[in-house]
Amino acid sequence: MKNSVRLMVATLTMTSALATTPALARTLNIGAIGELASFDTSQVSGGTWESDILMDVYEGLVKENPSGKLLPGMATSWETSDDGLTWTFHMRDGAKWSDGTPVTADDFVFGWRHLLNPANASKYAYNLYPIKNAEAVSTGKQPLDALGVASRDNGKTLEVTLNQPTPYFLQLMAHYTAFPQPKHLVEKYGKDWTGMEHIATNGAFHPVQWVSQSRITTEKNPAYYDVSQVALDGVNYFTSEDRNAGISRFRSGQFDVLREYPSNRYQWLKENLPDATHMSPMLGNYYYVFNQRKGEPTADPRVREALNLAIRRDVLAKQIMGGTFLPAYAFVPPGVNNYTRQPLAFKGEPMAERMKRARALMKDAGYGPDHPLTLNLRYNSSDEHKKIAIAVAAMWKPLGVKTQLQQAEATVHYQAIAEGDFNVARAAWIADYDDAENFLSLLSTGAGNNYGAYSSPAFDADMKKAANTADPAAREKLLEHAEAIAMQDNAVAPLLFYVTRNLVNPDLEGWEDNVKDNHPSRWVSFKE
């Protein structure tokens, strides 16, 4: 017997009103905060701007509605075994790539193997590690065909075997790491399959033009199974890292949506564009990474603790960011289901006591007026990232720290810190799924986005035990203990927790604030 958790295609009718095609369809123009790395999901590092684009051009086994609820996608129904280890997905009849080729279970098997292939060096491969043998495949210890996924019934059924019951597994299936890849095109064109002259996608839109550092143009996908319910003719994504310039382009009508307006403009925007200015709770953290590779000054736990002690998080949130962030003393943000955050030990201590201990730690580590510590602090280009970096550098100055600031556009920044080319670096994480594991896994040894190379056997042991624990209460305690270890180690410097900040044309329908800040264009339309 199997426990049925079927969700049939009929579920889609519940939200069909959200996508009623207006008399005059239009193109949606979005100001993005960075450049997409690739349409090959194995080459994407996790930027929110990348997720925005990929969720529009691809569709996984499930998809999200405007509020974030999961709905059938390339699979119309599914069930799990009694032990929670086997998931069986029934593929949608008539689903096609934009070139007319059928989408089958084979494309998911191929896509997941492609992402996990060590030759592709995906920084996000660990997102699929709940699948049996996924980690061994990703690290080259087992062949690709050892992955616990199989295509059955001539591609009509996808069977997935897990290492252990995974509460958030279905949420993972809506993330771009679980999207299919067009096997027929990769086999024919190799790495060139993502070229505009070859590419095919299976989502509501497909790319037709890409001007680097400027614009990606997509059009409605005529082969999409639900194309009659897609209101837009297409979506344009404009790279707009200058957020103030983005506001000007929004006000002039060039953008219908501006993602992540500058925090210091919130009050002005609320007063002058009240119907367009959105801000709401969000599952996301903003933190500084300490490079803990051998020979780095921040590999010294005394230095990390001192730097953490000196940061005034309330000042950053309330004064520097104008109340558009929350101060962060833990790594996991508030609002995560079934979890209690584990803050840094000094939370609540008077600042004078913190600074006294920080100075003593720096002296003990060998730094002082006669031997100042010089740090390179990297951040990706943005006025607010620059303001935060300048403020933090000023907070470190009383410790005798000389901070050299280095900025770069997002793609270059994340590539540099992935290679370990930094002392301290800005990073952030927006939840892929509502579970503390999604944040804490960033600190696991060897994780693709563990930029600082933090490694703790005790932390890793808790994470592995949690992954094999079915009891929700026991699993929660293990995850909380893991976070407590990381905070005790000063693994990172948590600074702020995010809220969503978007400018949205009031004439849009089907665009809703939600804690993951995901907004699939498939549901968006313009008011008639």
Side-chain angles (χ1 to χ4, degrees):
M1 292 289 293
K2 292 185 176 181
N3 297 323
S4 176
V5 290
R6 289 178 177 268
L7 291 176
M8 305 307 292
V9 173
T11 309
L12 292 172
T13 61
M14 296 171 60
T15 55
S16 62
L18 291 168
T20 302
T21 305
L24 180 63
R26 291 169 59 181
T27 297
L28 184 70
N29 294 315
I30 298 175
I33 63 173
E35 175 90 340
L36 177 69
S38 176
F39 282 106
D40 179 340
T41 56
S42 74
Q43 300 305 301
V44 176
S45 59
T48 55
W49 60 92
E50 296 175 308
S51 179
D52 288 344
I53 299 169
L54 295 174
M55 76 171 64
D56 280 351
V57 301
Y58 290 112
E59 186 168 290
L61 296 167
V62 296
K63 62 176 178 285
E64 295 181 0
N65 75 356
S67 65
K69 178 182 177 181
L70 295 180
L71 300 173
M74 290 291 104
T76 56
S77 62
W78 48 88
E79 61 264 358
T80 59
S81 58
D82 289 336
D83 61 7
L85 296 180
T86 302
W87 287 69
T88 303
F89 294 90
H90 303 281
M91 304 301 295
R92 181 181 295 277
D93 289 335
K96 297 178 180 179
W97 294 96
S98 54
D99 63 4
T101 303
V103 177
T104 71
D106 297 86
D107 292 306
F108 282 89
V109 173
F110 177 82
W112 296 359
R113 288 176 177 173
H114 180 76
L115 185 97
L116 291 165
N117 190 332
N120 290 323
S122 171
K123 296 179 178 65
Y124 225 152
Y126 65 88
N127 222 39
L128 295 182
Y129 281 8
I131 301 173
K132 184 177 180 180
N133 295 331
E135 183 172 7
V137 169
S138 178
T139 55
K141 296 177 181 177
Q142 291 201 38
L144 297 180
D145 59 10
L147 184 66
V149 59
S151 174
R152 311 289 191 198
D153 307 322
N154 294 317
K156 295 181 180 180
T157 303
L158 182 71
E159 185 177 279
V160 185
T161 304
L162 305 184
N163 294 309
Q164 60 274 324
T166 305
Y168 52 87
F169 181 69
L170 197 61
Q171 293 187 60
L172 282 180
M173 295 300 95
H175 190 262
Y176 65 75
T177 48
F179 288 166
Q181 297 282 266
K183 179 181 179 182
H184 64 293
L185 293 181
V186 181
E187 291 180 341
K188 183 175 182 179
Y189 297 110
K191 292 184 178 180
D192 293 334
W193 76 270
T194 56
M196 294 298 99
E197 69 276 20
H198 302 313
I199 193 169
T201 59
N202 71 320
F205 303 92
H206 69 102
V208 294
Q209 186 181 35
W210 187 349
V211 180
S212 181
Q213 294 299 325
S214 176
R215 181 184 73 255
I216 291 176
T217 300
T218 72
E219 295 179 353
K220 183 189 302 187
N221 176 8
Y224 185 59
Y225 63 88
D226 212 17
V227 64
S228 64
Q229 297 301 313
V230 177
L232 300 171
D233 288 330
V235 186
N236 294 320
Y237 311 90
F238 294 87
T239 302
S240 181
E241 295 191 16
D242 184 335
R243 314 315 291 147
N244 286 302
I247 291 174
S248 297
R249 297 179 74 176
F250 180 87
R251 295 182 69 199
S252 69
Q254 295 178 55
F255 292 166
D256 299 299
V257 174
L258 177 66
R259 300 290 261 141
E260 204 174 305
Y261 58 77
S263 58
N264 65 340
R265 300 297 300 276
Y266 172 67
Q267 291 301 327
W268 186 92
L269 291 169
K270 192 64 178 173
E271 293 171 5
N272 292 274
L273 299 172
D275 294 336
T277 304
H278 291 236
M279 189 167 78
S280 65
M282 183 182 187
L283 299 181
N285 63 8
Y286 185 118
Y287 60 102
Y288 276 176
V289 181
F290 295 129
N291 192 340
Q292 294 170 56
R293 294 167 177 83
K294 186 176 180 179
E296 295 288 339
T298 44
D300 188 328
R302 296 167 296 185
V303 173
R304 298 199 303 273
E305 183 178 358
L307 296 176
N308 244 334
L309 283 162
I311 298 172
R312 301 170 182 255
R313 288 145 177 94
D314 288 347
V315 171
L316 294 178
K318 297 174 184 178
Q319 297 179 26
I320 306 300
M321 292 293 102
T324 57
F325 282 86
L326 300 174
Y329 289 87
F331 195 61
V332 178
V336 172
N337 283 334
N338 303 313
Y339 191 78
T340 300
R341 285 172 292 145
Q342 304 298 304
L344 291 160
F346 57 76
K347 181 184 180 184
E349 288 186 10
M351 200 64 212
E353 292 182 14
R354 286 166 49 179
M355 290 303 293
K356 180 179 180 181
R357 190 158 76 255
R359 290 188 179 96
L361 286 164
M362 291 295 287
K363 182 179 180 179
D364 192 45
Y367 298 103
D370 296 331
H371 185 212
L373 172 62
T374 299
L375 291 178
N376 166 267
L377 171 56
R378 280 186 174 270
Y379 60 93
N380 49 305
S381 302
S382 145
D383 288 341
E384 68 179 30
H385 300 335
K386 182 177 181 179
K387 287 173 61 177
I388 291 171
I390 291 172
V392 171
M395 295 171 188
W396 288 342
K397 191 173 182 180
L399 300 181
V401 176
K402 297 180 179 180
T403 308
Q404 300 173 343
L405 304 183
Q406 185 172 0
Q407 69 174 354
E409 60 92 10
T411 303
V412 174
H413 168 76
Y414 279 103
Q415 181 63 36
I417 67 174
E419 294 171 354
D421 184 15
F422 70 99
N423 297 136
V424 183
R426 181 259 170 189
W429 193 258
I430 308 302
D432 299 317
Y433 47 92
D434 186 359
D435 194 279
E437 188 274 346
N438 188 215
F439 291 91
L440 296 174
S441 63
L442 298 172
L443 302 178
S444 295
T445 301
N449 291 315
N450 183 353
Y451 302 115
Y454 169 69
S455 181
S456 163
F459 177 91
D460 293 340
D462 277 346
M463 294 298 290
K464 289 180 180 179
K465 288 178 184 176
N468 288 282
T469 300
D471 178 72
R475 179 176 180 271
E476 177 187 348
K477 292 301 181 185
L478 286 165
L479 292 174
E480 289 170 357
H481 191 251
E483 183 181 23
I485 290 171
M487 293 300 93
Q488 183 178 357
D489 290 344
N490 291 279
V492 295
L495 301 182
L496 302 160
F497 292 128
Y498 274 97
V499 295
T500 69
R501 287 182 274 121
N502 298 295
L503 290 181
V504 184
N505 185 340
D507 288 337
L508 293 183
E509 295 181 327
W511 201 102
E512 296 182 15
D513 293 326
N514 60 75
V515 294
K516 290 171 64 178
D517 204 20
N518 284 343
H519 307 281
S521 301
R522 178 253 181 273
W523 304 107
V524 175
S525 63
F526 286 86
K527 296 177 183 177
E528 294 186 46

